[in-house]
Amino acid sequence: MIKVRNLVKHFGKDEVLKDISLDVEEKEVVVIIGPSGSGKSTLLRCFNKLEESTSGTIEIQGVHVDKSNINQIRTEVGMVFQHFNLFPHKSVLENVMIGPIKVRKWSHEAAKDKAVALLKRVGLESKADSYPASLSGGQKQRVAIARALAMEPKIMLFDEPTSALDPEMVGEVLAVIKDLAQEGMTMVVVTHEMGFAREVGDRVIFMDQGKIVEEGIPNTIFTSPKEERTKVFLDKVL
Amino acid sequence: MDFNMNIIIEYWPFFLKGALLTLGISIAGIIIGAVIGLFISFGRMAPNKWIRIPFSLYINSLRGTPVLIQLFIVHYALLPAIYPPGTAVTSAIVTLSLNSSAYVAEIFRAGIQSLDKGQTEAARSLGMTKVQTMRYIIVPQAVRRMIPPLGNEFITLIKESSLAGIIAAEELMYWGKAAMGQYQRVWEPYIAVAIIYLVIVFSLTYLLQWIEKRWVQRD
């Protein structure tokens, strides 16, 4: 589904991604962990070109991602952000409806049916007419997930979806993501939630200083990492 | 000090007529200024430096010189050259429009640039084009943030329109000056005129507060 080859990204003089190659298979849940500044969010943001890579190639569903087809590809790739980025001037329902209406050109009714169903799924149908400002962090993030799902994406990207939440709200958001994983959604999740990574991830990637240091199935990575840097990191966070 | 009410009573119809013209000039100025200012602000935010420079020069020249000088240049030089039938009122509207366009351009720019980058990213990640993102996500939010500073600019414009009296546009200040000239009295005409300005500005302030309460959302 996602095929990354020799991806390099510079911010000015800093090389934040150093020759990354990576494949994500259909229905796979890949969890990326690593210390702050390791480049994991930047990598994720390169997948849908919110961040322009310096060199290297990205293919999504077999299509080479470039400027000409990026809007089309983005409709297939949902993204959830650390800071939710809901549209504050639109109601919860409108937030979820706007993508299908403006981008997919659905009718108002079709988009509304879809939005209501999705809000029900994330447990927020009662908040449909509220505005984002009146929601808690966990609720905002669940709306953001519904907004991304409304486009019926084939792949979901999660950029530290629980990092900006109060601890008691992390669970409700992770439950929604877990539910998606069980349905077979292809997902890449950047997270600091090690328990979640272990439980939901099919594969865990550990990044440090712009490189993939180690990858493998969660149990192996968490219980018997091969690399010293992975050990040091896991000792600190577990 | 004796206060001669009769002067005010005699001039009252002219003061009212002048106040209407003051409002007319100011409203025309803020509307035309807003339209020009919108284009200027997009030029000012262009990614290319060489496109930005002339727009930024335009804004800084208009903000960096007195309105009175701008008014004289427009009235005695610019307008006679390009539109000879222009009157003092035309000159006043042109000057105020140009002047406010510079301020409005900066208000628009601040409104757009104050929005979180995440708004654009969220919209783009749904597959919206740049134009759709501007139209449905950025501009509607920016406009709400612009209402309070635009209101302030309008109030400033109303007060600055009093300069038009100097080139004999028959607005409120002009009639105050006329009354003073006729009776050689300062207090009566100018207090009356000042109070009318105050009433206009206060009413507007209330209107703006009302609009802000209804329209401007809390983030």
Side-chain angles (χ1 to χ4, degrees):
Chain A
M1 293 288 271
I2 305 178
K3 191 168 161 188
V4 179
R5 288 295 174 271
N6 309 106
L7 195 72
V8 175
K9 167 74 186 172
H10 292 266
F11 279 124
K13 284 203 166 123
D14 293 338
E15 193 174 35
V16 287
L17 294 177
K18 298 168 186 164
D19 195 27
I20 302 265
S21 293
L22 164 77
D23 289 274
V24 179
E25 304 302 325
E26 193 171 352
K27 301 197 172 185
E28 193 180 20
V29 178
V30 173
V31 180
I32 306 178
I33 59 172
S36 314
S38 58
K40 51 197 192 313
S41 283
T42 308
L43 174 62
L44 194 76
R45 290 159 56 83
C46 281
F47 291 170
N48 64 350
K49 270 199 175 330
L50 285 184
E51 217 66 78
E52 205 68 50
S53 55
T54 309
S55 65
T57 60
I58 294 169
E59 272 180 29
I60 287 185
Q61 295 183 289
V63 180
H64 179 76
V65 182
D66 60 30
K67 272 207 170 95
S68 67
N69 59 19
I70 186 60
N71 286 334
Q72 170 58 32
I73 284 174
R74 281 175 179 154
T75 64
E76 307 286 327
V77 181
M79 184 149 193
V80 173
F81 300 86
Q82 180 178 358
H83 295 287
F84 331 125
N85 300 347
L86 293 180
F87 307 130
H89 61 305
K90 300 206 169 285
S91 71
V92 164
L93 192 67
E94 288 166 339
N95 264 277
V96 183
M97 287 166 67
I98 190 165
I101 289 179
K102 301 300 179 194
V103 181
R104 291 246 191 251
K105 311 290 178 199
W106 286 12
S107 71
H108 186 91
E109 290 70 34
K112 189 172 175 179
D113 290 345
K114 178 85 187 174
V116 169
L118 282 169
L119 286 176
K120 197 171 278 176
R121 174 169 175 180
V122 298
L124 289 172
E125 70 267 40
S126 64
K127 296 284 183 186
D129 296 322
S130 307
Y131 279 80
S134 67
L135 303 182
S136 72
Q139 292 171 330
K140 282 181 189 165
Q141 196 60 300
R142 286 187 278 154
V143 173
I145 293 172
R147 177 177 68 179
L149 290 176
M151 294 296 290
E152 302 188 332
K154 302 289 189 298
I155 299 169
M156 284 287 283
L157 308 176
F158 291 88
D159 187 4
E160 304 197 20
T162 58
S163 298
L165 298 178
D166 291 335
E168 72 268 24
M169 291 168 184
V170 170
E172 64 191 66
V173 171
L174 290 183
V176 172
I177 302 176
K178 216 180 290 176
D179 184 48
L180 265 179
Q182 273 155 9
E183 267 183 28
M185 175 67 82
T186 308
M187 306 201 286
V188 182
V189 186
V190 170
T191 187
H192 293 292
E193 295 292 330
M194 297 303 147
F196 172 80
R198 194 166 184 168
E199 185 184 352
V200 179
D202 294 317
R203 183 151 53 104
V204 172
I205 292 178
F206 172 67
M207 281 184 73
D208 192 20
Q209 296 177 352
K211 283 187 177 153
I212 294 179
V213 176
E214 187 168 358
E215 59 180 301
I217 57 168
N219 266 333
T220 319
I221 297 273
F222 284 109
T223 53
S224 49
K226 288 197 288 286
E227 300 289 330
E228 190 55 34
R229 271 192 285 174
T230 318
K231 269 179 214 156
V232 172
F233 173 74
L234 290 174
D235 279 344
K236 273 187 206 151
V237 297
L238 290 180
Chain B
M1 187 191 83
D2 62 328
F3 195 88
N4 187 351
M5 256 330 254
N6 289 330
I7 298 176
I8 297 175
I9 292 167
E10 188 196 329
Y11 264 89
W12 191 247
F14 299 108
F15 287 164
L16 282 188
K17 216 172 70 175
L20 277 182
L21 187 59
T22 287
L23 265 179
I25 291 174
S26 309
I27 290 171
I30 195 79
I31 290 175
I32 301 171
V35 174
I36 303 174
L38 182 66
F39 285 101
I40 301 290
S41 76
F42 279 115
R44 176 75 181 75
M45 289 186 288
N48 185 312
K49 188 176 122 195
W50 296 105
I51 298 177
R52 280 202 307 269
I53 287 176
F55 289 99
S56 139
L57 206 65
Y58 174 93
I59 292 169
N60 288 325
S61 322
L62 283 165
R63 296 207 308 174
T65 52
V67 185
L68 188 56
I69 294 177
Q70 295 167 12
L71 184 68
F72 281 177
I73 291 176
V74 166
H75 187 59
Y76 296 117
L78 184 69
L79 223 55
I82 61 173
Y83 184 64
T87 61
V89 172
T90 325
S91 295
I93 291 175
V94 169
T95 307
L96 292 182
S97 301
L98 291 177
N99 183 267
S100 69
S101 75
Y103 287 92
V104 169
E106 290 296 84
I107 292 171
F108 276 132
R109 186 166 72 99
I112 285 173
Q113 292 185 341
S114 70
L115 290 177
D116 187 75
K117 197 166 91 302
Q119 291 292 305
T120 304
E121 291 184 349
R124 297 305 302 276
S125 79
L126 291 171
M128 284 194 204
T129 61
K130 272 187 189 159
V131 174
Q132 285 179 319
T133 302
M134 267 288 154
R135 179 163 162 205
Y136 301 119
I137 306 301
I138 303 302
V139 170
Q141 293 185 61
V143 165
R144 284 177 172 81
R145 293 190 184 193
M146 287 168 204
I147 289 172
L150 272 180
N152 288 340
E153 172 58 18
F154 187 35
I155 286 170
T156 306
L157 213 59
I158 289 175
K159 292 180 290 180
E160 282 176 345
S161 73
S162 64
L163 292 171
I166 298 175
I167 57 165
E170 297 177 0
E171 45 71 74
L172 183 53
M173 185 65 197
Y174 172 90
W175 290 109
K177 238 173 45 172
M180 187 201 78
Q182 184 180 346
Y183 291 101
Q184 297 299 314
R185 307 273 303 189
V186 176
W187 278 107
E188 295 86 349
Y190 284 150
I191 288 289
V193 165
I195 288 173
I196 297 175
Y197 275 114
L198 261 182
V199 168
I200 294 175
V201 169
F202 268 142
S203 323
L204 201 72
T205 310
Y206 269 103
L207 182 69
L208 280 168
Q209 280 173 356
W210 183 80
I211 291 174
E212 270 175 53
K213 242 183 236 156
R214 309 209 118 200
W215 275 58
V216 183
Q217 29 99 158
R218 55 288 162 220
D219 286 289

